[in-house]
Amino acid sequence: MIRFENVRKTYYIGGEEVKALDGIDLFIGQGEFVAIIGPSGSGKSTLMNIMGCLDTADSGIYELDGQRIEQYSENELARIRNRKIGFIFQNFNLLSKMTAEENVELPLIYQGLSASVRRQRVAEAMALVELTGRGKHKPTELSGGQQQRVAIARALATRPSLLLADEPTGNLDSRTGVEIMALFHRLHQEGNTLVLITHDQKVADQAVRRIKISDGKVEEVT
């Protein structure tokens, strides 16, 4: 499903060359639950951005569902992000003036789906994260855990082939974090492909496979 071959990305900060990714090779199969772990500055955020088609590599091969991503235009990358990848962020990224249901519906509007299909998808996604009955609440009326569940519902509603979670428990208390991880396990058991980006070893240990990166290179796979 995901294949990186000799992927490299370099940034220039204050005239200094920084190799964010230095020849990354990895493979993630359909239906896997994988954690990518590394300390701050290890390259995991850059890896996530390229994997999520938010950025492109300087060189190397990135294949998603057999497609060579580095050959696509920005418009094509936007379409892939909207249809193939479900994003779950540490800060939830919910629009405060919209209800939970409206936040979940938003990417479906971009997909051009009819109102009836959107309503059905939203209801199904909210049920999956056990938030039926909370759809009319705005984010400020929900707890942190509930906001993260809304963010997960938004990601699921597009029926992506990949769920990409960036520090999804980072802003949650430990009990709520456990609940969110339990939801990820259930999603994995239902056949979803999950890639979890984290610096927390305890969180990473809950994934089926772990890829540790350091200084822009794959250091260990367990």
Side-chain angles (χ1 to χ4, degrees):
M1 177 178 181
I2 293 173
R3 185 172 73 91
F4 276 42
E5 182 180 320
N6 197 28
V7 169
R8 298 177 183 274
K9 183 70 176 183
T10 300
Y11 296 106
Y12 294 90
I13 302 174
E16 181 180 351
E17 182 182 87
V18 178
K19 292 183 178 180
L21 298 181
D22 190 12
I24 292 284
D25 296 314
L26 62 82
F27 177 81
I28 297 172
Q30 178 71 36
E32 276 203 272
F33 182 10
V34 176
I36 296 176
I37 184 169
S40 177
S42 63
K44 66 181 186 300
S45 294
T46 301
L47 182 62
M48 181 204 72
N49 287 339
I50 293 174
M51 193 176 291
C53 299
L54 297 168
D55 199 358
T56 55
D58 294 332
S59 62
I61 294 171
Y62 171 29
E63 287 186 358
L64 175 62
D65 290 339
Q67 296 177 316
R68 289 280 296 271
I69 297 302
E70 70 274 8
Q71 298 175 348
Y72 282 73
S73 68
E74 183 52 47
N75 286 340
E76 290 169 328
L77 291 175
R79 185 175 182 275
I80 289 170
R81 288 194 298 270
N82 184 248
R83 296 181 180 274
K84 285 184 172 288
I85 303 169
F87 293 96
I88 303 162
F89 297 103
Q90 178 178 351
N91 295 322
F92 318 137
N93 286 9
L94 301 177
L95 298 179
S96 60
K97 294 184 178 181
M98 289 185 169
T99 65
E101 287 179 344
E102 289 169 341
N103 271 280
V104 174
E105 183 184 21
L106 192 58
L108 304 179
I109 295 173
Y110 294 146
Q111 285 188 351
L113 299 178
S114 68
S116 60
V117 172
R118 296 199 307 266
R119 284 194 298 270
Q120 180 182 354
R121 292 271 195 99
V122 170
E124 290 174 353
M126 293 292 281
L128 280 172
V129 299
E130 300 177 348
L131 281 181
T132 300
R134 292 280 186 170
K136 303 303 181 185
H137 290 70
K138 292 185 177 179
T140 54
E141 300 170 328
L142 301 171
S143 68
Q146 289 171 334
Q147 289 183 60
Q148 189 59 291
R149 286 176 182 270
V150 173
I152 294 170
R154 180 182 57 194
L156 292 171
T158 62
R159 298 181 179 174
S161 56
L162 169 66
L163 286 171
L164 189 58
D166 180 21
E167 302 282 5
T169 62
N171 281 342
L172 305 176
D173 61 71
S174 58
R175 181 183 64 81
T176 307
V178 168
E179 293 174 357
I180 294 300
M181 289 306 299
L183 176 56
F184 283 141
H185 284 294
R186 180 158 61 85
L187 293 173
H188 171 237
Q189 290 166 1
E190 292 171 356
N192 291 283
T193 305
L194 281 85
V195 176
L196 179 66
I197 311 296
T198 184
H199 71 278
D200 189 331
Q201 187 65 54
K202 291 181 180 179
V203 172
D205 285 344
Q206 296 186 57
V208 176
R209 189 158 64 97
R210 290 159 295 285
I211 300 172
K212 184 177 181 181
I213 68 171
S214 179
D215 297 326
K217 297 180 180 180
V218 173
E219 185 176 90
E220 182 181 14
V221 179
T222 57

